[in-house]
Amino acid sequence: MSTLDEASTLEQPRPTPKHEFVGHERDICSFAFLHDNVHIVSGSWDGTMRKWDCNMGLPVGEPWKSKGGTIYALALSPDGKTILCGRHNGSVEMWNTDGEMSEDIWTGHSSWVSALSWSPSGGHIASGSYDGTILIRKAGNGEVRSDVDPIKTQQGGVRSLAYSHSGDRIASGGNNKSICIWNSNTGELLVGPIEDLGDWVASVVWSLDDSKLYSASDIFARVFDSTSGTELHRLKHNAYLYSVALSPKHNALACVGHGGVAQLWDTKSYQPLHLPFSQENNKTFRCVSFSRNGQYVAYGGDDSKITLWMVKDIAPELPSPPRSCLEVDATNPFAEEGRDNIYDGFFRSSEPSLPFAYGSSRPCHRTHPFSARRFWNVLIPSRRGPPAESIHPQPRIKRSLSARHAGPHPVAVSAARPKKRYFIAPRRVLPEDQSAEEENVNINSETGQSSLAAAQSSSAAAPSSTPQGPQYLHAQPSTRLSQEDGHDYGCW
């Protein structure tokens, strides 16, 4: 058994939440992070659901309303497109992530639906009720599977449900201080009942490899062997627990409950991670969850709000989850390097207006058209050009005072960091007796040497303190003002 030593943590500074989402009128019993890792959908005893923006800290649109009464359970589908809602009247509703409810409302329970869980494939749904039964439904139409009878748990009411990651088992926590594990394809009892767990089992969650089962009941978060039902460990808190959740990216278990309990534990060492991250000792937190990328953890309860935290602020000792190039913020190509983007104002005038999101007063997010530079930075970490010695200076071309300078004229532009170079390249002035067609013939006959010499000349003319770009990268003019202007414009 591991015990949280509160006395040793009181001397340490406590973190502060990123956002608090306020808008519900009663307790929040369930919420879900959407797959975009930006939005949360919550359900409340006030009978409404709400969508929240984790970046802005604001609600998205109006509350989602229905006539089913108090909401006790929410569950997001594996594809992230559908949210199930368990109501006080025993019904199950389907909503999309924009707040539109399906006309089909599933019935079958004689008491309120207190727990919901999707199978990993998304093909089936388990609903648990205070009537003590578990119904396994087809996800398409909500019909109860004909090959699996309703499971009569004998647990005095089902408080929590969880499909295993393999999809072949379902764990249920009951009002009678017990846990049972069922065969999801036959309804057969496989493990349990595991009894005398101190109080009702308000939450159950499987380890990522399905070898363990974690639960919340009384003041303990318990760890069980999922095959034998043997209790492996207890994590002791200072008050009753209501919910546990596992991070998908860290070896971390979040526990919340009565008296403002909110603590992260290491699932390998069974030691607390840093310190409790709640400062509201007079509150009861009823639900907790991590975002899919492991960046956020949030809880909700009788304070009628969702409190959002950055995991790195709570437990800085945890490693940051690795980021793939698909998770990179392509809208800010210099974010990782801590640099200001000097092109923001340069391109902004050509961007189209952004459309507004459904039910929202704010523009929806759209990828910046120049985000390809961001992926270049990720795939090629070093942006240094070839050494200055590798670019051979070209002899200066003699021109008359009346002729215009034919090569690109580099201009160093500094905006904090890094330095960028714009160029203005006047067009070559031809003698009056030579036409443009004749010049093109001359250039072609020289196999393009004139273009290469111009590029090398511009590189050699650049200040030596400015990093050089790739040796064979030819700058293309991005804008041409007019034929009369006589200049080509662009940037390196």
Side-chain angles (χ1 to χ4, degrees):
M1 181 175 66
S2 298
T3 302
L4 179 64
D5 186 1
E6 185 179 17
S8 64
T9 62
L10 288 177
E11 299 177 357
Q12 304 180 50
R14 291 180 180 269
T16 57
K18 178 179 176 64
H19 292 303
E20 292 183 342
F21 303 132
V22 179
H24 284 296
E25 298 177 358
R26 295 193 62 192
D27 296 25
I28 297 172
C29 278
S30 187
F31 68 90
F33 280 94
L34 301 189
H35 285 191
D36 60 9
N37 297 304
V38 174
H39 294 96
I40 288 175
V41 173
S42 59
S44 169
W45 286 5
D46 63 14
T48 68
M49 299 164 64
R50 300 208 66 158
K51 187 175 182 179
W52 312 91
D53 187 309
C54 294
N55 291 336
M56 303 295 294
L58 297 172
V60 178
E62 298 297 321
W64 307 353
K65 297 180 179 180
S66 177
K67 298 180 180 180
T70 297
I71 297 174
Y72 292 102
L74 296 180
L76 181 67
S77 62
D79 65 5
K81 298 179 179 179
T82 305
I83 301 172
L84 294 180
C85 171
R87 296 273 186 176
H88 181 78
N89 64 0
S91 66
V92 177
E93 300 169 350
M94 288 188 299
W95 297 72
N96 67 20
T97 57
D98 290 324
E100 299 168 341
M101 190 181 81
S102 171
E103 295 181 357
D104 296 331
I105 297 178
W106 304 343
T107 60
H109 288 293
S110 60
S111 186
W112 61 79
V113 176
S114 49
L116 292 165
S117 182
W118 288 80
S119 66
S121 66
H124 296 95
I125 297 154
S127 61
S129 170
Y130 258 58
D131 63 12
T133 66
I134 299 173
L135 300 181
I136 300 178
R137 307 170 184 267
K138 298 177 182 178
N141 53 23
E143 293 181 356
V144 177
R145 286 181 58 174
S146 59
D147 56 339
V148 182
D149 293 331
I151 300 174
K152 299 179 180 179
T153 65
Q154 305 298 322
Q155 290 181 284
V158 178
R159 291 289 297 259
S160 52
L161 277 179
Y163 259 99
S164 64
H165 295 91
S166 60
D168 59 347
R169 292 178 290 173
I170 298 174
S172 64
N175 265 345
N176 65 348
K177 312 175 187 178
S178 70
I179 292 176
C180 296
I181 299 178
W182 313 87
N183 185 316
S184 61
N185 296 312
T186 64
E188 175 190 1
L189 180 64
L190 299 177
V191 179
I194 306 171
E195 298 178 315
D196 300 326
L197 300 182
D199 215 318
W200 62 81
V201 180
S203 181
V204 289
V205 61
W206 294 83
S207 63
L208 298 180
D209 62 0
D210 288 341
S211 64
K212 299 181 180 66
L213 188 70
Y214 298 83
S215 72
S217 59
D218 57 51
I219 63 174
F220 294 106
R222 291 177 169 86
V223 188
F224 299 95
D225 182 286
S226 64
T227 301
S228 64
T230 303
E231 184 176 304
L232 303 177
H233 208 87
R234 293 183 182 185
L235 307 175
K236 185 179 179 181
H237 298 77
N238 301 315
Y240 275 48
L241 297 183
Y242 280 88
S243 185
V244 292
L246 277 173
S247 169
K249 298 295 183 179
H250 304 103
N251 297 319
L253 178 76
C255 304
V256 299
H258 185 68
V261 168
Q263 178 66 45
L264 293 184
W265 296 83
D266 188 304
T267 57
K268 298 295 185 181
S269 65
Y270 296 125
Q271 295 301 312
L273 288 168
H274 210 55
L275 60 148
F277 54 97
S278 167
Q279 301 180 39
E280 302 179 270
N281 298 329
N282 59 337
K283 302 297 182 181
T284 296
F285 304 136
R286 301 183 182 276
C287 46
V288 65
S289 184
F290 288 90
S291 60
R292 286 168 57 88
N293 61 3
Q295 180 181 8
Y296 298 124
V297 64
Y299 55 68
D302 65 359
D303 56 2
S304 305
K305 65 184 179 183
I306 299 287
T307 304
L308 180 72
W309 302 80
M310 299 287 291
V311 172
K312 67 178 182 179
D313 293 339
I314 301 170
E317 63 267 38
L318 288 176
S320 298
R323 301 175 70 193
S324 69
C325 62
L326 297 179
E327 293 178 333
V328 168
D329 179 10
T331 64
N332 185 1
F334 299 100
E336 278 190 348
E337 293 80 14
R339 302 175 178 177
D340 297 326
N341 185 0
I342 64 172
Y343 300 107
D344 283 347
F346 188 82
F347 296 115
R348 189 168 293 139
S349 61
S350 63
E351 292 180 6
S353 299
L354 297 177
F356 282 83
Y358 175 85
S360 172
S361 60
R362 297 179 307 283
C364 64
H365 179 80
R366 178 173 289 180
T367 304
H368 195 286
F370 290 90
S371 61
R373 295 197 308 269
R374 184 68 169 88
F375 293 98
W376 178 272
N377 295 341
V378 173
L379 298 175
I380 305 178
S382 175
R383 285 181 282 179
R384 292 186 177 180
E389 294 80 3
S390 65
I391 301 178
H392 302 288
Q394 299 297 318
R396 183 179 296 275
I397 300 174
K398 295 183 179 180
R399 294 178 175 82
S400 65
L401 294 176
S402 60
R404 294 184 181 181
H405 184 64
H409 178 61
V411 179
V413 179
S414 176
R417 321 184 290 272
K419 289 186 177 180
K420 301 294 177 183
R421 287 179 289 154
Y422 293 97
F423 72 79
I424 302 174
R427 299 193 190 93
R428 181 177 181 182
V429 179
L430 304 177
E432 293 181 357
D433 59 345
Q434 183 180 5
S435 66
E437 290 79 4
E438 290 174 335
E439 186 195 23
N440 290 337
V441 172
N442 293 336
I443 293 177
N444 290 336
S445 65
E446 296 171 6
T447 64
Q449 294 300 318
S450 297
S451 299
L452 179 59
Q456 292 174 330
S457 176
S458 66
S459 300
S464 60
S465 60
T466 304
Q468 300 295 323
Q471 183 175 0
Y472 300 105
L473 181 62
H474 298 283
Q476 299 295 330
S478 62
T479 307
R480 176 165 293 176
L481 298 183
S482 68
Q483 295 294 332
E484 292 78 17
D485 180 74
H487 292 74
D488 288 336
Y489 294 81
C491 61
W492 289 101

